[in-house]
Amino acid sequence: DQQVKQNSPSLSVQEGRISILNCDYTNSMFDYFLWYKKYPAEGPTFLISISSIKDKNEDGRFTVFLNKSAKHLSLHIVPSQPGDSAVYFCAASSKARQLTFGSGTQLTVLP
Amino acid sequence: DAGVIQSPRHEVTEMGQEVTLRCKPISGHNSLFWYRQTMMRGLELLIYFNNNVPIDDSGMPEDRFSAKMPNASFSTLKIQPSEPRDSAVYFCASRMGGHIGELFFGEGSRLTVL
């Protein structure tokens, strides 16, 4: 029973356009959400996070939106760049501090 | 500063053999996590330690898997006997205790069991 779901295994976007990656969760105890980025043959690296008391957090080209009523979060990348091509993992944390990850979305930004 | 260090980076073994994966967390981090990445399930938490003590091993698939953390700078994940379905990338990650969220991952150990 996956508590964090990324239903799109892949996404292709043209360079300069917006990339929107989606994530859904089922556990209402989750109170902190993160996005990780992973290049081939490397470990995941932290990208951006959001607390459940907020609905938006922005860091440069990256913005994460949280809709608690829908148990949905999304990562927006604008403008998308070829270097953004990677696997993006959504993750959620509860008071127990463990991170539960989704299955990932492969983003390909086409030049 | 050195990040999380894992070894080996690649391991190819035959079914039934014992596999030992190793991890050195970032110095000063007192929480350590073992994850497994597969195509179907993404990143699954296998076990995590806090101050060298296993806190939650509910993600360990079965008795063939075991993990130890004898000291703050070293952990092992052992599979005995290994099976083809264990083929995956195994990641170790560490974090400062009490800090929610961000984990620092190693580069992973890719295991292939023939």
Side-chain angles (χ1 to χ4, degrees), chain A residues 1-2 31-32 34 36 38 41-46 87 89 93-104, chain B residues 9 33 35 37-45 48 56 91 95 98-108:
Chain A
D1 180 28
Q2 287 192 296
D31 59 3
Y32 196 72
L34 308 90
Y36 277 76
K38 183 185 178 306
E42 296 183 9
T45 55
F46 170 75
V87 177
F89 289 98
S93 173
S94 66
K95 292 284 191 290
R97 307 305 192 213
Q98 299 175 49
L99 281 185
T100 301
F101 284 84
S103 54
Chain B
R9 292 294 310 277
F33 302 75
Y35 282 87
Q37 182 190 10
T38 61
M39 289 292 291
M40 292 299 296
R41 300 183 65 84
L43 281 167
E44 298 176 274
L45 177 64
Y48 84 95
D56 183 357
F91 288 100
R95 181 177 73 193
H99 286 229
I100 61 172
E102 185 180 354
L103 295 179
F104 294 83
F105 283 83
E107 294 183 318

Side-chain angles (χ1 to χ4, degrees), chain A residues 6-10 87-90 101-106, chain B residues 41-43:
Chain A
Q6 294 178 256
N7 292 318
S8 297
S10 63
V87 177
Y88 289 79
F89 289 98
C90 169
F101 284 84
S103 54
T105 297
Q106 170 69 58
Chain B
R41 300 183 65 84
L43 281 167

Side-chain angles (χ1 to χ4, degrees), chain A residues 1 7 13 25 64-65 68 84 92 104-105:
Chain A
D1 180 28
N7 292 318
V13 172
Y25 62 95
V64 56
F65 295 91
K68 283 191 297 182
D84 296 329
T105 297

